[in-house]
Amino acid sequence: MSKVARNRFVLPILGFLVVAATLGSVAGCNSIPDQVGRVDKRFVFITNGDSSFWDAAEKGWEETCQSKQMFGQFMRNKSGDAAGQIQLLQSVAAKSDVGGVAISVVDAGATGLIDLLKEIGEKIPLITVDSDCKPEDRAARRAYVGTNNKEAGRVAGRIAKLLRPDGGNWIGFVGTEDADNARSRIEGFVEGAGKGFTRLDVLQDLHDQAKARENVRASLSKPANLLFGIYSYNAPALAE
């Protein structure tokens, strides 16, 4: 085993997704009827990126739309940034047959994106999935479907403390740090790990998995003894 491997701990935290079909963990939800579909309306799901994390979600979306006789469209944000989501949302807003939108918000601080979500949310039902808006902007959506990201981060932080009881320096790896799920996981990690851990850096890859691997390689020359994978594909990038 190399010196690097002996002295570093790799801590992956996988994103969790409850697809819209289950609605098992819904925050800020008004009344959502069981039968929401209409054959003459199109229901759109927009991802935050194009990782394999979304493969299962796409399958679940398609199966649910079919079972509820809904016309579903699954749109991947291939650019992995706010500009890409804005472009997809604009194409949706221009259509008159859209009955609802589900979106994983890639950047909760992107003003243009949030403004567009508010505009669309005033006209048709809109929910956030996996990554939410900021608290002050949540009136734009009907509900959030997903996990408690801060608690997931706390669990990761507590595991880090078990692995390194004396603390240490950590580097995080993520698609977009400004996404609500990323910020919540990082905040929870800091709380769970405690004062003995120091953040050296958080490296963004904008959902580019080649860039995610490059970020890991670049970090090996830095004085960190814990590497923290925040998004699902960051875990295999760290393992490689």
Side-chain angles (χ1 to χ4, degrees), residues 132-146:
D132 203 1
C133 304
K134 288 182 177 179
E136 60 266 30
D137 297 320
R138 288 175 184 171
R141 47 78 160 162
R142 300 283 184 93
Y144 164 67
V145 183

Side-chain angles (χ1 to χ4, degrees), residues 31-111:
S31 176
I32 299 181
D34 180 60
Q35 296 296 329
V36 296
R38 288 178 56 190
V39 175
D40 60 338
K41 289 292 184 181
R42 182 157 50 98
F43 293 84
V44 179
F45 192 120
I46 299 175
T47 70
N48 58 2
D50 191 30
S51 76
S52 57
F53 173 79
W54 292 110
D55 293 349
E58 183 171 11
K59 182 174 176 57
W61 181 257
E62 291 173 349
E63 289 177 354
T64 300
C65 288
Q66 183 177 9
S67 69
K68 292 186 175 293
Q69 297 184 324
M70 297 160 55
F71 176 32
Q73 184 176 9
F74 198 89
M75 305 175 74
R76 295 187 183 234
N77 179 26
K78 294 185 180 297
S79 68
D81 57 16
Q85 280 198 329
I86 289 172
Q87 186 175 11
L88 293 174
L89 282 167
Q90 286 174 335
S91 70
V92 168
K95 304 293 184 181
S96 60
D97 66 335
V98 177
V101 174
I103 184 170
S104 178
V105 182
V106 69
D107 185 346
T111 303

